[in-house]
Amino acid sequence: MAEQDARPPLRRVRDLLQTYVLDAVDLDEIRADMSDTAGFSTFAARSLRQDLEALEWALTADLPVGTLLHLVEDDANFGLDDDPTDAGAAVFLRQIADILREVLGPAR
């Protein structure tokens, strides 16, 4: 548990994306998987809350150019054909954050 808690925020975001988004077909599948995890145990819900905090940090931090795009296109394996920029990636990552807030709402 301590090792999980000690991960830096960017590592948490990468792990989150690789776990829930990488192989998902669509946002509904991501939502369902996250909801299942949140309902599994208090520890799982706590971990997802920490992931949300890390994601919110990444969206507001002054990261090097291309970092958000790399997170989305490489770690999440989600193509941003319409807007392949950090701004486009931020839109997608905000959707993931919204899903996390939604599934964690009842668990809080």
Side-chain angles (χ1 to χ4, degrees):
M1 185 185 297
E3 184 179 319
Q4 290 285 341
D5 288 347
R7 290 178 295 159
L10 210 48
R11 178 76 257 165
R12 287 196 79 91
V13 173
R14 283 189 174 106
D15 291 347
L16 172 76
L17 295 173
Q18 291 171 3
T19 300
Y20 294 98
V21 182
L22 182 66
D23 294 324
V25 175
D26 57 22
L27 294 176
D28 289 333
E29 182 179 345
I30 295 166
R31 181 178 293 104
D33 288 347
M34 288 179 172
S35 181
D36 288 347
T37 299
F40 181 73
S41 70
T42 304
F43 173 76
R46 181 175 154 267
S47 182
L48 282 178
R49 277 191 284 283
Q50 291 172 335
D51 293 344
L52 174 59
E53 289 173 11
L55 184 53
E56 289 172 337
W57 169 84
L59 287 166
T60 60
D62 186 22
L63 299 171
V65 173
T67 301
L68 296 181
L69 182 61
H70 175 77
L71 286 170
V72 172
E73 289 196 330
D74 295 340
D75 294 300
N77 193 34
F78 188 88
L80 296 172
D81 297 332
D82 293 337
D83 187 4
T85 65
D86 281 334
V91 170
F92 177 77
L93 292 172
R94 281 188 202 99
Q95 289 178 304
I96 301 303
D98 289 344
I99 290 171
L100 275 169
R101 280 188 216 91
E102 177 187 320
V103 301
L104 290 169
R108 288 185 183 199

